[in-house]
Amino acid sequence: MEATMFEAKTQLSDLVKRAQRGEKIVLTQGRKKTPVAEIVALKPAKQRAFDLFPHPDFDIPADFDELPEAEMKAWRGEGD
């Protein structure tokens, strides 16, 4: 589909919806309707799983965030 710059200004939402459905939207300019731009839909960003440590042999132990009692007391201000 072709649309003039004026049509694009007045019907942008509709043109974007059409592009999202897969339609090719070419914007034209001037009396000769020279093609100057195209509206295309972007593919959604791929969702990534939590993979800070993608190594298959790496396991986070269940007690990784536990501190020895002496350190816990120090954090609570109960130290020496």
Side-chain angles (χ1 to χ4, degrees), residues 22-36:
E23 195 169 336
K24 182 178 177 180
I25 311 295
V26 176
L27 301 181
T28 62
Q29 188 173 24
R31 289 185 182 177
K32 293 184 180 181
K33 294 190 176 181
T34 305
V36 293

Side-chain angles (χ1 to χ4, degrees), residues 1 6 10 23 27 36-37 43 61 65 68:
M1 170 196 189
F6 177 77
T10 60
E23 195 169 336
L27 301 181
V36 293
K43 294 179 182 176
D65 60 346

Side-chain angles (χ1 to χ4, degrees), residues 2-75:
E2 286 187 2
T4 64
M5 295 298 277
F6 177 77
E7 291 169 331
K9 287 179 189 179
T10 60
Q11 302 171 18
L12 183 60
S13 294
D14 181 55
L15 294 174
V16 169
K17 286 177 188 174
R18 292 174 78 163
Q20 287 175 319
R21 290 192 299 260
E23 195 169 336
K24 182 178 177 180
I25 311 295
V26 176
L27 301 181
T28 62
Q29 188 173 24
R31 289 185 182 177
K32 293 184 180 181
K33 294 190 176 181
T34 305
V36 293
E38 192 173 274
I39 299 175
V40 295
L42 299 177
K43 294 179 182 176
K46 188 175 182 181
Q47 296 292 325
R48 293 181 49 166
F50 181 77
D51 64 351
L52 290 178
F53 304 104
H55 194 280
D57 295 332
F58 183 85
D59 289 318
I60 298 174
D63 63 347
F64 82 100
D65 60 346
E66 293 180 14
L67 294 173
E69 187 60 31
E71 288 185 50
M72 287 299 296
K73 285 183 179 181
W75 277 103

